[in-house]
Amino acid sequence: MTQWVNMSQLLPFLPDQTINDLYPPTTFPIEARHFLAEWVESQRWEDFTLDNVEQKTQAEILFNEALRMLQSMAHQNTNVVDRMKLMQISRNMAVCHQPLEFAVMVRNILRNESAMISMNTQIPAPEPTLPSMQDVDHLVLKVLDVQDTRQKMHQLQEELNWEKHNCESFQGPQQHNGLDQRMAEIQKVQSKIQQLDYNLKSMATKRFQLLKECINCLDQCQSRLISRLKLWRWEQHKATIGHPFDDNLNPLQTWCEQLLGVNGKLRQELMLIGEPIPELQERLGHLLQVLIQSSLVVEKQPPQVIKTQSKFSTTVRYLLGEKIAPGKPVVLKAQIINESQAKNQGSIPGDTVGELINNTAILEHNTASKSTCATFRNMSIKKIKRADRKGTESVTEEKFALIFSTEITITGCDTPYRIQMISLPLVVIVHGSQDNNALATIIWDCAFCELDRVPFVVPEYVPWRKMYNTLNSKFTSEVQTKHNLDKCNQHFLAQKIFDKPDYNGDFSNMMVSWAQFNKEVLPGRMFTFWQWFEGVMELTKKHLRTYWSEKLIFGFIGKQHLHLILKDKPNGTFLLRFSDSEIGGITIAYVSTADNGGLKIQNIQPFTKRDLEIRSLGDRILDINHITHLYPNCPKHEVFQKFYTEPQASPSGGYIPVSLQTKVGTEAASTTHQTPSMAGVCPSPSMAGVCPSPSMAGVCPSPSMAGVNPSSSMTVAGDTSPSSVGYPLNQFQQQQYNHQDPLHPDMDVAASPPVEFLPVLPTDNMDNMDLDIESFLQDNTWREPDI
């Protein structure tokens, strides 16, 4: 790199946060720095390279524009010292006038700044310094030195040959009187020959030394580049739990292509020496092989939870695609491997552990994107062979991977190379009921895997602070919100996973086990911590995103903390919290009047996903008159008004419009008392709180009765229509969906506690299991839970 400008001259091209951290801001006027930083970041610097002369025109345009801006700011600046600084910098730049070097240097500084920001966000780097094009540029300049030395040696050799020829011409018969003069000329020529020969040998030594330095530099640069490829893949893995990830492979492809070009030039220089140098030739050959084999990347990973007999897609990209020798098409083959086989990546697996359908694809070059990819569009796992499980290990804890392999020939290379790459770990399931537990395995693997681990080793215990960061990252990315879980949420989650509801200390360094995360059920519950947390996440993602993003939901809070913050609040104050006892539920906790005239805190039965599909949370809050102010003191109609559903116009045909309404406490009790004949049974879970016959004594098992329990109910109001009597079941369902009760539209519908439908599908040992639906329905009946 030419030393035509020092760092102080390039300070304006670094964003302020990096400049202030690394360099004193006194060397450059601050206003000029801000102005130029904005301009630099608005330009495209990524593609500039020293050996691309076609970019010289664009570089010159940017260089001249920067120079004009400096000169303009110098003339406009009223501070004499600042004006002199700007004028001096602009003069230095104008005298040197090397636009392409200027553009490359700015590009390198911006890349280094980006790398430093990445390291500050606690993304570990595989090397002390991240690879950058500055390394490649330095390597290219060293190769140019080697080529320049070879050309100078060639010129010296030609000059030496010419002088030797002249010396031989002086050796012929000469007259005696010219002997002394001829001897003097011969001595002069011989002296020149000796000097040329000495210079030639010195340059040959220099050339050999430069070649060694170039190969060492190539080795170091390639090692860092391969580490960067591993880091890209690790970041891709972390993206599963919501970490930011730049999936652009174009810069890495450029680096790979340039390193391949450098390797080819150095091999050519070795051949031009004229005598073999086995040590250097073997090193270059090994570096070439490693680069070719490391350039295969799974650009789009397959799903990390895959159900057998279902279609999925994946894309593999070859970063040296433009260098593939023309002729025979390159076909990639995919195989599925288990964890044991993944640890031995050096060989293609002989024994298959599963059968893949549509497992071949051709590498195809896209001239528009300059990428070479093989896309597997309709792949499927037909069957899977599982390993013997240890102890209590579940099938959803077993990890597999896809391995992609092919044979490839690069232009300029005589022999083909066998290349392969494995996907990120995946879990194979045979039934949808296994999906949640399989996802837990993937979450743990994504969150806590090391950068360069042995596949697919993960720790059994991790500190709570890492666990919480994972939960927060996954929650915010899945819900697509910028509102993070706060300290109160964090503390309650820790209390829950550690089963320490009364502990108020710091959980940060307490160790969480995989078993606590998703093997052991929570005390007094029938589900694990992850199953409960994932249910809340899904509910928020599908029905509560806006409420959460606008901080209207308090979220995760224990009852002890809940009483602490609500105990001094007036009657009607409420907050929204996620259910502690139900998977995927949100409840309303509110302050109400006790029988003794004091205040007490009530919790309404949680609303689930099915409940909120029937009637939104905003409308339910509107319905409940007991609640008036959102904690700490916000009138509910001001906060939730935009979530209320607008009243619908009267339907045609003379019908009276109907609506659903949430009733709580005494309202629900009075409604139930007025309609004793409606304590009927609704045999269909799809009948959302509408029972087809008043004579069916019992309770309605529908999970859709949002909040319908001894303390809450829903009301359906309307008019009786004689023509509605006797409708078949499917029309009952359709009218329920439209909020109509065809039998008793003028009556309020209340229900007793819901009945559970209790067949439990196994989540383990589901492979090769056939379900007999008829016998399943016969063996499983409705039964009431203990109340």
Side-chain angles (χ1 to χ4, degrees):
M1 184 67 66
T2 55
Q3 301 300 320
W4 59 277
V5 62
N6 59 32
M7 181 58 69
S8 65
Q9 292 171 313
L10 281 182
L11 279 175
F13 304 104
L14 279 168
D16 291 335
Q17 66 181 85
T18 304
I19 301 171
N20 296 333
D21 290 341
L22 299 179
Y23 305 104
T26 57
T27 55
F28 198 91
I30 190 68
E31 295 82 2
R33 182 170 52 170
H34 289 169
F35 186 76
L36 283 176
E38 292 179 1
W39 173 75
V40 166
E41 291 182 350
S42 67
Q43 307 302 316
R44 181 174 180 83
W45 305 90
E46 187 65 31
D47 298 329
F48 284 108
T49 55
L50 281 176
D51 57 349
N52 192 343
V53 294
E54 296 178 355
Q55 296 174 326
K56 211 165 186 179
T57 303
Q58 179 62 22
E60 179 128 13
I61 293 173
L62 290 173
F63 179 85
N64 291 334
E65 187 172 347
L67 199 58
R68 284 195 300 270
M69 292 172 69
L70 280 171
Q71 293 168 347
S72 175
M73 283 186 289
H75 291 301
Q76 295 174 11
N77 202 308
T78 57
N79 187 299
V80 177
V81 177
D82 287 351
R83 187 190 312 151
M84 295 300 295
K85 287 180 182 179
L86 290 168
M87 290 176 65
Q88 182 63 37
I89 292 171
S90 62
R91 278 197 297 268
N92 290 344
M93 292 175 63
V95 170
C96 296
H97 196 80
Q98 298 189 36
L100 192 55
E101 286 81 352
F102 170 81
V104 170
M105 185 172 287
V106 173
R107 180 207 64 194
N108 291 337
I109 289 173
L110 291 174
R111 283 184 176 171
N112 289 337
E113 184 261 347
S114 178
M116 284 185 280
I117 291 177
S118 296
M119 288 189 286
N120 286 337
T121 56
Q122 299 180 342
I123 297 179
E127 296 286 335
T129 57
L130 292 175
S132 69
M133 287 302 293
Q134 188 173 2
D135 301 321
V136 181
D137 293 337
H138 179 66
L139 181 57
V140 168
L141 290 174
K142 292 185 77 68
V143 174
L144 289 175
D145 285 344
V146 174
Q147 294 173 330
D148 184 58
T149 303
R150 172 177 51 80
Q151 292 170 357
K152 289 179 180 178
M153 285 180 63
H154 182 70
Q155 293 172 0
L156 280 176
Q157 187 64 58
E158 288 182 338
E159 190 174 353
L160 179 60
N161 293 340
W162 176 255
E163 294 300 333
K164 285 182 178 180
H165 174 72
N166 286 342
C167 186
E168 290 174 359
S169 67
F170 287 123
Q171 303 295 328
Q174 302 292 335
Q175 295 180 358
H176 179 71
N177 58 1
L179 182 61
D180 293 339
Q181 182 179 356
R182 183 53 58 92
M183 286 299 295
E185 291 177 359
I186 290 174
Q187 289 176 357
K188 183 178 178 181
V189 171
Q190 287 177 341
S191 176
K192 189 172 183 179
I193 289 173
Q194 289 176 354
Q195 184 63 44
L196 288 171
D197 190 54
Y198 175 81
N199 292 343
L200 191 60
K201 289 178 179 178
S202 297
M203 294 195 77
T205 303
K206 178 184 176 183
R207 179 188 182 189
F208 180 75
Q209 187 62 33
L210 281 172
L211 276 169
K212 287 182 65 176
E213 290 176 6
C214 282
I215 295 174
N216 289 336
C217 186
L218 175 63
D219 194 347
Q220 295 170 6
C221 186
Q222 185 168 303
S223 296
R224 289 195 294 269
L225 178 59
I226 291 172
S227 295
R228 185 62 185 88
L229 285 168
K230 290 180 180 178
L231 180 61
W232 184 92
R233 179 182 167 159
W234 185 80
E235 291 171 343
Q236 183 189 45
H237 196 20
K238 290 290 185 182
T240 304
I241 56 172
H243 282 210
F245 171 55
D246 181 6
D247 62 353
N248 182 17
L249 279 168
N250 292 336
L252 291 172
Q253 176 171 308
T254 301
W255 298 351
C256 286
E257 291 170 347
Q258 288 202 326
L259 289 180
L260 180 65
V262 167
N263 192 299
K265 290 176 181 177
L266 291 177
R267 284 184 288 121
Q268 187 180 49
E269 291 298 321
L270 279 177
M271 288 188 290
L272 291 173
I273 286 179
E275 57 185 50
I277 308 177
E279 177 191 354
L280 299 185
Q281 289 171 334
E282 287 176 6
R283 284 191 66 190
L284 279 176
H286 175 71
L287 288 172
L288 178 65
Q289 179 181 354
V290 170
L291 180 64
I292 290 174
Q293 292 177 338
S294 302
S295 297
L296 192 66
V297 180
V298 184
E299 184 175 35
K300 178 191 173 187
Q301 292 285 342
Q304 288 189 264
V305 176
I306 300 178
K307 184 175 177 293
T308 55
Q309 310 293 340
S310 61
K311 292 181 181 180
F312 63 91
S313 64
T314 182
T315 301
V316 180
R317 179 168 171 176
Y318 192 57
L319 301 180
L320 294 175
E322 290 188 334
K323 310 300 179 182
I324 297 176
K328 184 180 177 181
V330 179
V331 179
L332 256 72
K333 181 180 179 181
Q335 295 173 265
I336 189 165
I337 57 175
N338 58 25
E339 186 169 337
S340 176
Q341 292 171 323
K343 292 176 181 177
N344 186 23
Q345 292 184 48
S347 58
I348 303 297
D351 298 331
T352 178
V353 297
E355 184 178 343
L356 289 176
I357 301 173
N358 300 323
N359 66 329
T360 59
I362 298 174
L363 273 177
E364 297 177 306
H365 184 69
N366 186 319
T367 53
S369 63
K370 296 184 179 180
S371 61
T372 302
C373 300
T375 301
F376 299 80
R377 291 183 174 83
N378 295 294
M379 204 186 302
S380 177
I381 300 177
K382 185 176 181 181
K383 62 181 180 180
I384 193 70
K385 178 182 178 182
R386 301 191 183 276
D388 294 333
R389 292 190 292 280
K390 303 174 184 178
T392 60
E393 187 181 49
S394 161
V395 294
T396 58
E397 295 176 70
E398 186 176 5
K399 300 172 192 174
F400 297 88
L402 298 184
I403 185 169
F404 304 92
S405 58
T406 190
E407 197 171 77
I408 204 161
T409 302
I410 297 295
T411 302
C413 303
D414 299 329
T415 58
Y417 292 88
R418 189 78 186 175
I419 61 175
Q420 64 185 42
M421 179 54 64
I422 70 169
S423 72
L424 296 177
L426 52 90
V427 177
V428 179
I429 63 175
V430 297
H431 193 276
S433 62
Q434 297 172 310
D435 184 78
N436 185 280
N437 291 326
L439 183 59
T441 300
I442 294 302
I443 295 297
W444 189 274
D445 188 274
C446 292
F448 309 122
C449 68
E450 297 296 333
L451 180 61
D452 205 8
R453 64 170 172 178
V454 175
F456 297 110
V457 176
V458 288
E460 187 70 20
Y461 292 85
V462 296
W464 165 250
R465 63 180 182 275
K466 288 188 176 181
M467 183 79 258
Y468 166 70
N469 289 336
T470 298
L471 295 174
N472 181 62
S473 179
K474 182 63 178 175
F475 186 92
T476 53
S477 65
E478 198 71 23
V479 176
Q480 296 183 355
T481 179
K482 294 181 179 179
H483 177 36
N484 294 298
L485 303 176
D486 61 22
K487 290 183 178 180
C488 295
N489 295 159
Q490 176 185 358
H491 191 76
F492 173 70
L493 290 173
Q495 288 177 323
K496 193 169 185 70
I497 201 169
F498 289 114
D499 188 26
K500 293 180 179 293
D502 299 323
Y503 183 72
N504 293 319
D506 185 10
F507 287 97
S508 297
N509 295 318
M510 293 181 67
M511 302 299 287
V512 181
S513 69
W514 159 249
Q516 287 172 309
F517 180 64
N518 194 55
K519 282 186 75 70
E520 301 168 353
V521 297
L522 293 169
R525 309 295 182 216
M526 296 298 294
F527 45 79
T528 66
F529 175 86
W530 166 252
Q531 290 169 343
W532 168 76
F533 183 85
E534 197 268 345
V536 170
M537 189 168 60
E538 280 296 299
L539 179 74
T540 309
K541 172 184 174 181
K542 293 180 178 178
H543 296 284
L544 307 173
R545 176 187 290 120
T546 307
Y547 300 90
W548 174 264
S549 297
E550 295 186 9
K551 303 181 181 180
L552 304 180
I553 298 176
F554 199 95
F556 301 100
I557 180 173
K559 291 184 179 178
Q560 184 180 10
H561 187 197
L562 177 69
H563 281 260
L564 186 65
I565 65 175
L566 290 183
K567 66 178 182 177
D568 297 325
K569 293 296 177 180
N571 186 11
T573 303
F574 71 99
L575 60 75
L576 301 167
R577 68 179 187 89
F578 297 125
S579 172
D580 178 43
S581 58
E582 236 180 90
I583 294 180
I586 187 168
T587 183
I588 300 175
Y590 68 98
V591 180
S592 67
T593 305
D595 295 336
N596 60 5
L599 295 178
K600 63 179 180 179
I601 296 174
Q602 301 271 61
N603 287 275
I604 297 175
Q605 179 172 323
F607 304 124
T608 64
K609 170 178 173 289
R610 180 62 182 265
D611 301 328
L612 298 181
E613 285 173 348
I614 296 172
R615 187 159 177 80
S616 72
L617 180 62
D619 287 337
R620 291 179 184 276
I621 290 172
L622 172 64
D623 293 340
I624 303 172
N625 296 324
H626 301 288
I627 58 178
T628 58
H629 287 75
L630 180 68
Y631 176 85
N633 188 29
C634 301
K636 77 171 184 180
H637 293 310
E638 292 182 10
V639 177
F640 292 97
Q641 185 172 12
K642 65 180 180 180
F643 299 103
Y644 299 160
T645 301
E646 293 292 332
Q648 297 182 354
S650 299
S652 58
Y655 291 108
I656 299 174
V658 298
S659 64
L660 295 176
Q661 195 172 23
T662 307
K663 299 291 185 181
V664 177
T666 57
E667 294 177 339
S670 62
T671 301
T672 306
H673 179 73
Q674 292 170 6
T675 56
S677 63
M678 291 303 294
V681 174
C682 177
S684 171
S686 64
M687 299 292 288
V690 180
C691 296
S693 171
S695 64
M696 303 176 76
V699 292
C700 181
S702 171
S704 64
M705 293 295 290
V708 177
N709 57 83
S711 63
S712 67
S713 69
M714 293 188 68
T715 299
V716 182
D719 189 23
T720 305
S721 172
S723 62
S724 67
V725 179
Y727 276 8
L729 181 61
N730 64 339
Q731 293 192 12
F732 272 100
Q733 294 172 325
Q734 180 62 39
Q735 292 194 350
Q736 177 271 325
Y737 181 78
N738 294 327
H739 309 308
Q740 297 177 13
D741 182 356
L743 292 180
H744 301 279
D746 57 336
M747 302 185 70
D748 291 337
V749 179
S752 297
V755 176
E756 295 178 295
F757 184 57
L758 294 174
V760 179
L761 293 177
T763 59
D764 286 358
N765 305 317
M766 297 287 292
D767 37 319
N768 306 318
M769 185 186 79
D770 295 323
L771 293 179
D772 186 342
I773 300 301
E774 293 184 2
S775 61
F776 176 81
L777 293 175
Q778 292 172 1
D779 294 339
N780 293 275
T781 58
W782 301 97
R783 68 180 179 87
E784 293 189 12
D786 296 331
I787 301 174

